[in-house]
């Protein structure tokens, strides 16, 4: 008896503020090896609700992103997705998951407890003697094996499978996440201060860096997301 292949839809949320083309192309590229995944860029709340997986990109200022998410009518669909299916937040899409941002004194979606704060690097110098610049712009390393204060190292998040600890990813940002619970920081980066460059809780995973601009390791992260069943 023939059993049809079950196809999955991955919705890239279009609320007018994300690097949609690059994100969608990267997810499509990551899905190429599978004949079961359809990637759609959508501004439809119903499509987001019906999708099996959701990617929430973000680019620009946090106040604008939150305002456009509300204006577009997609806020409730994103909250529904966050409660029911795997969701991947990218850049400001990551910051939006937290409670609040210093940028414009902006409330977030409150899905992961914590704050978004600005880099405070005045007067600090990098190892080569140059001053730290804000925004951080360029490649930096992400570490996912680090201590949370427990006697044993917690396991790495499943989305890091096949990606070397300390791999380089591409960043463009002036603000960074400060989760209230250390266990929600599943990747850390050093830029004058150690900060959470990847956060996760239950079915939510998000990165401050741009996987779609991060070559093979970024595609591997999206590929892992397509197969992740939290």
């Amino acid at each position: 008896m023939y059993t049809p292949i079950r196809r999955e839809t991955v919705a890239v949320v279009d609320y007018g503020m994300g690097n949609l083309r690059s994100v969608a192309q990267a997810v499509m590229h990551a899905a190429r090896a599978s004949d079961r995944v359809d990637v759609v860029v959508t501004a439809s709340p119903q499509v987001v609700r019906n999708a099996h997986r959701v990617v929430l990109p973000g680019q620009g200022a946090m106040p604008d992103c939150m305002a456009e998410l509300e204006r577009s009518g997609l806020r409730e669909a994103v909250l529904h997705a966050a409660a029911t299916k795997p969701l991947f937040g990218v850049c400001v899409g990551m910051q939006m998951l937290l409670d609040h941002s210093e940028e414009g004194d902006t409330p977030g979606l409150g899905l992961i407890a914590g704050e978004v704060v600005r880099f405070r690097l005045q007067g600090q110098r990098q190892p080569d003697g140059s001053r730290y610049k804000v925004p951080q712009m360029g490649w930096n390393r992400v570490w996912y094996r680090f201590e949370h204060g427990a006697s044993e190292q917690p396991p790495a998040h499943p989305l890091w499978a096949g990606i070397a600890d300390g791999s380089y990813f591409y960043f463009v940002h002036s603000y960074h996440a400060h989760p209230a619970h250390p266990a929600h920081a599943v990747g850390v980066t050093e830029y004058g201060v150690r900060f959470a460059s990847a956060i996760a809780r239950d079915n939510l995973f998000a990165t401050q860096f741009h996987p779609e601009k991060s070559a093979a390791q970024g595609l591997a992260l999206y590929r892992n997301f397509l197969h992740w069943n939290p």
Side-chain angles (χ1 to χ4, degrees):
M1 179 179 176
Y2 172 71
T3 302
I5 295 174
R6 178 177 177 267
R7 300 189 67 83
E8 283 200 353
T9 298
V10 180
V12 180
V13 183
D14 179 7
Y15 59 102
M17 295 299 295
N19 191 12
L20 298 171
R21 181 177 175 81
S22 295
V23 171
Q25 285 185 336
V27 178
M28 288 176 187
H29 187 76
R32 241 175 230 172
S34 173
D35 59 357
R36 302 185 180 187
V37 178
D38 295 317
V39 182
V40 297
V41 177
T42 182
S44 165
Q46 195 58 48
V47 172
V48 174
R49 285 177 175 271
N50 291 343
H52 299 87
R53 300 172 190 272
V54 171
V55 179
L56 178 67
Q59 188 168 284
M62 174 83 163
D64 295 336
C65 287
M66 289 301 300
E68 287 302 307
L69 186 67
E70 186 72 45
R71 184 201 60 77
S72 67
L74 286 159
R75 180 188 176 105
E76 292 306 315
V78 168
L79 289 173
H80 177 269
T84 59
K85 63 197 72 178
L87 183 146
F88 195 133
V90 180
C91 195
V92 181
M94 165 184 169
Q95 296 176 8
M96 293 164 72
L97 301 184
L98 281 83
D99 292 321
H100 179 266
S101 174
E102 286 185 347
E103 188 174 18
D105 190 19
T106 307
L109 294 172
L111 296 168
I112 296 179
E115 300 285 318
V116 179
V117 299
R118 183 174 172 83
F119 281 119
R120 293 177 173 86
L121 304 175
Q122 296 88 341
Q124 295 189 47
R125 292 187 178 272
Q126 302 190 64
D128 65 3
S130 63
R131 293 185 182 276
Y132 283 99
K133 296 180 180 179
V134 178
Q136 176 186 198
M137 185 178 299
W139 297 85
N140 205 343
R141 303 181 83 171
V142 176
W143 304 93
Y144 57 77
R145 294 210 173 273
F146 47 92
E147 294 296 335
H148 285 310
S151 58
E152 294 184 3
Q153 175 68 49
H157 193 280
L159 262 67
W160 295 120
I163 300 171
D165 194 21
S167 290
Y168 282 89
F169 292 86
Y170 191 82
F171 290 81
V172 182
H173 65 123
S174 300
Y175 294 79
H176 61 87
H178 189 273
H181 304 294
H184 291 160
V186 296
V188 298
T189 296
E190 300 277 351
Y191 191 70
V193 64
R194 173 179 279 199
F195 68 92
S197 52
I199 61 175
R201 179 184 66 78
D202 302 328
N203 57 304
L204 308 177
F205 184 92
T207 64
Q208 181 60 66
F209 56 83
H210 290 269
E212 69 281 359
K213 297 180 180 180
S214 298
Q217 58 271 29
L219 290 177
L221 200 57
Y222 280 139
R223 193 175 301 116
N224 289 341
F225 173 68
L226 297 177
H227 297 285
W228 181 38
N229 293 301

